Amino acid sequence: MYDYDLLVVGSANADLVIGVERRPGAGETVLGSDLAVHPGGKGANQAVAAARLGARTALLARVGDDAYGRLLLDSQRSSGVDTVGVLVGGAPTGVALITVDPSGDNSIVVSPGANGRLTPEDVRAAVSLFHASRVVSVQLEIPLETVVEVVRSLAPDSRFVLNPSPPRPLPTEVLAACDPLIVNEHEAKVILGDSRVGDEPEDWARILLAKGPRSVVVTLGSRGALVASRKGVARVAPVKVDAVDTTGAGDAFTAALAYRLGAGASLAEAAAYAARVGAAAVTKEGAQASFPTAAEVDAL
């Protein structure tokens, strides 16, 4: 019997957001809106999204012993995430500095802070969490050697889900554990590199699958998604909504898919559910604040 439906290993950031009429040029100062501070980071986002859906969720991450770290811990706990695996100290909490112009375009500078201090040793010390978790979900806003250690720490029957964001070349050991590897179009192109052949996502999925993952999911925004495994490639229909803010939608999709896979859904069934969760998330502003409950997804 597993204690957790999902263990998320990843980043936790404070998002510092300022609205600007236009982004400054070199040496220029522009005035902006009042500063807004939101809990963020791909790992923290996924944990909150899963917990909102009813998943028994734990987070393994590192934050600083500072006000931003306390903000992130409070957000996790209020959403029902078990924070027993969140380590405190070693560096300031990670911060994302975000400017947003009137068209919605943003520029982001990330200071990884404590996220860069989540080490393989931290993973080994949390081995009991891995053996208590049905599914483990990871991203790449933490050191790659830590991700490798996560793969080595998996329980024999647990499932490993990876969203390689920000994208980078991946070791064979990590690729072989992915079930699935979840990428958007940009991430797919970076990972494929020179091996990308064809302009259709189905082509990318097949080539990615040949690199070692047990399954692959390619998210296509308003065009839905597709799933690929040894059984073949299938499209997942988009869910039509009026989008307000796409921030965090990918994290909501990944968390929902990982949760449903752990509950026994097929890859196509889990992706269809995740598409509904992602669609619900874009109907509200913000990242964690926009993540829906299971009842809101059912209503959609």
Side-chain angles (χ1 to χ4, degrees):
M1 178 67 182
Y2 292 102
D3 295 326
Y4 302 105
D5 300 308
L6 180 64
L7 168 64
V8 181
V9 184
S11 59
N13 290 331
D15 291 345
L16 279 55
V17 184
I18 299 177
V20 294
E21 285 299 316
R22 57 182 177 81
R23 289 186 288 278
E28 181 184 16
T29 299
V30 299
L31 295 178
S33 66
D34 290 342
L35 175 69
V37 181
H38 305 291
K42 297 189 74 64
N45 286 351
Q46 286 186 16
V48 168
R52 290 261 178 88
L53 296 171
R56 296 169 300 164
T57 308
L59 175 66
L60 175 57
R62 184 176 286 277
V63 299
D65 184 12
D66 49 38
Y68 293 145
R70 290 186 285 276
L71 168 73
L72 289 161
L73 282 168
D74 288 346
S75 175
Q76 294 293 309
R77 290 166 179 160
S78 65
S79 298
V81 177
D82 190 335
T83 59
V84 66
V86 179
L87 305 166
V88 178
T93 300
V95 172
L97 304 175
I98 306 171
T99 58
V100 185
D101 70 19
S103 71
D105 286 339
N106 57 33
S107 296
I108 305 175
V109 178
V110 175
S111 171
N115 295 310
R117 272 69 164 192
L118 187 67
T119 65
E121 290 74 19
D122 295 330
V123 171
R124 289 191 286 270
V127 66
S128 60
L129 277 178
F130 289 89
H131 286 271
S133 302
R134 188 181 303 276
V135 180
V136 177
S137 180
V138 183
Q139 327 80 42
L140 296 183
E141 290 184 334
I142 56 176
L144 186 56
E145 59 266 27
T146 304
V147 176
V148 172
E149 191 60 36
V150 168
V151 169
R152 295 173 180 172
S153 301
L154 295 171
D157 297 327
S158 64
R159 192 161 185 165
F160 178 69
V161 176
L162 175 65
N163 172 218
S165 179
R168 69 184 86 167
L170 295 170
T172 301
E173 181 180 5
V174 172
L175 282 169
C178 295
D179 193 13
L181 175 74
I182 304 176
V183 293
N184 61 23
E185 296 174 74
H186 168 68
E187 292 154 0
K189 291 175 182 177
V190 171
I191 293 172
L192 287 172
D194 293 338
S195 63
R196 183 165 66 93
V197 177
D199 295 322
E200 293 300 321
E202 285 84 355
D203 299 326
W204 310 339
R206 291 187 183 97
I207 301 170
L208 284 169
L209 202 59
K211 289 181 175 291
R214 302 175 194 180
S215 59
V216 171
V217 175
V218 182
T219 59
L220 301 170
S222 61
R223 294 181 289 140
L226 63 83
V227 299
S229 68
R230 302 294 181 261
K231 298 178 181 178
V233 180
R235 285 270 183 168
V236 176
V239 179
K240 300 297 184 183
V241 294
D242 293 325
V244 173
D245 184 355
T246 61
T247 304
D251 298 329
F253 179 98
T254 298
L257 186 140
Y259 170 40
R260 296 307 301 163
L261 286 175
S266 70
L267 185 61
E269 291 168 341
Y273 181 78
R276 291 166 59 197
V277 173
V282 304
T283 62
K284 300 178 183 177
E285 292 185 351
Q288 293 182 18
S290 74
F291 295 155
T293 63
E296 289 170 331
V297 176
D298 291 341
L300 183 67

